[in-house]
Amino acid sequence: MNLTAKQLKDYFKEIVKMIENEKDYLCELDRKLGDGDHGVTMSIGWQAVNEKLNNELAEEQDCAKISLTVGKTFLSAVGSSVGPLYATGFMRGAKVVKGKTEMNDNDLAEYWIAFAKGIKERGQAEVGDKTMIDTLEPFFISLEKQFAESNDFLPAFSTAVEEAKKGMESTKDIVSKKGRSSRLGERSIGAQDPGATSAYLILSTFLNFVKGQVEVR
């Protein structure tokens, strides 16, 4: 499958809508572990991205420039720790699709692997710390393995998103070891991590988006 620059922008607009829909849910999750503003923070970041998509990026055809601008814009808009993490992810993804107006199966696999690995590297967290890495590491490990075996992006990505979901859900049973929620200790058990949840939602939104594009053809 191929994803054009326009479709990449359309996908980012789908994230904007999804975050608005899930904003209260993400804040509710965060109230159990942190200061309750994760949904608002994500909304601020993605509304700033939406502004760029509708103006500066409206005619942009370079997938790398689109992803790079999304990352930088999110970072500028969001002061919290999540800003540099997503910025790194989207900027690392941009590097592997430099100069491309369309992304093929190989480009898409490389993009998402670079995205997830970039966030892990920047965040310096491990699986079991109750963070977005509990979602993203199983995702990129699965995507690398599945795509290497099949060279078929959509089924490989679909399986990887299933692993991401399991990782997200596993955070309910983990004691928080990073950030503000780590102060709760054992009391953090039973609450799903909001960062792991929003990371999963961003991946599953892409899966739903590309499935929709394939069905339209």
Side-chain angles (χ1 to χ4, degrees):
M1 65 169 287
N2 283 356
L3 191 84
T4 65
K6 181 189 180 301
Q7 287 172 316
L8 181 63
K9 288 183 279 188
D10 287 344
Y11 158 61
F12 286 130
K13 287 179 181 178
E14 287 299 310
I15 297 184
V16 175
K17 287 184 211 164
M18 177 275 290
I19 291 294
E20 288 309 300
N21 289 337
E22 302 293 345
K23 180 167 68 174
D24 291 346
Y25 171 59
L26 292 171
C27 285
E28 185 188 319
L29 289 177
D30 199 26
R31 274 193 287 275
K32 294 172 184 172
L33 292 168
D35 45 16
D37 67 349
H38 184 64
V40 172
T41 300
M42 292 295 284
S43 174
I44 290 167
W46 284 102
Q47 286 301 321
V49 167
N50 197 37
E51 185 73 20
K52 289 280 184 184
L53 290 167
N54 290 328
N55 294 289
E56 187 183 313
L57 293 173
E59 303 302 320
E60 184 57 66
Q61 293 301 308
D62 184 334
C63 293
K65 283 183 184 171
I66 294 163
S67 192
L68 192 67
T69 303
V70 166
K72 286 182 174 177
T73 303
F74 193 85
L75 178 61
S76 297
V78 174
S80 72
S81 59
V82 79
L85 294 172
Y86 277 116
T88 300
F90 289 121
M91 288 158 83
R92 291 284 178 87
K95 277 187 181 177
V96 303
V97 293
K98 206 168 179 182
K100 290 182 181 282
T101 57
E102 276 197 16
M103 296 156 73
N104 61 25
D105 275 34
N106 198 60
D107 298 325
L108 287 164
E110 284 190 11
Y111 178 90
W112 284 109
I113 290 163
F115 167 85
K117 284 187 170 179
I119 292 176
K120 177 175 165 62
E121 197 177 300
R122 183 68 189 258
Q124 298 186 321
E126 302 295 333
V127 166
D129 286 346
K130 201 181 182 99
T131 70
M132 64 203 295
I133 301 309
D134 289 293
T135 294
L136 293 172
E137 187 165 330
F139 163 79
F140 74 68
I141 288 171
S142 174
L143 183 54
E144 272 188 316
K145 180 176 179 291
Q146 298 292 331
F147 189 72
E149 289 171 3
S150 69
N151 270 347
D152 194 348
F153 174 73
L154 193 50
F157 191 83
S158 186
T159 301
V161 170
E162 287 172 22
E163 292 304 311
K165 186 178 185 183
K166 289 177 197 168
M168 170 191 75
E169 290 172 343
S170 77
T171 62
K172 290 176 191 169
D173 306 318
I174 298 172
V175 174
S176 186
K177 298 188 182 80
K178 293 274 182 183
R180 185 172 298 205
S181 60
S182 63
R183 300 175 200 163
L184 295 171
E186 295 285 330
R187 284 177 296 149
S188 64
I189 293 175
Q192 186 167 293
D193 183 68
T197 305
S198 57
Y200 166 74
L201 290 170
I202 283 169
L203 299 175
S204 62
T205 297
F206 186 73
L207 179 60
N208 292 332
F209 177 77
V210 290
K211 277 182 176 173
Q213 299 301 305
V214 168
E215 283 164 13
V216 164
R217 288 179 183 177

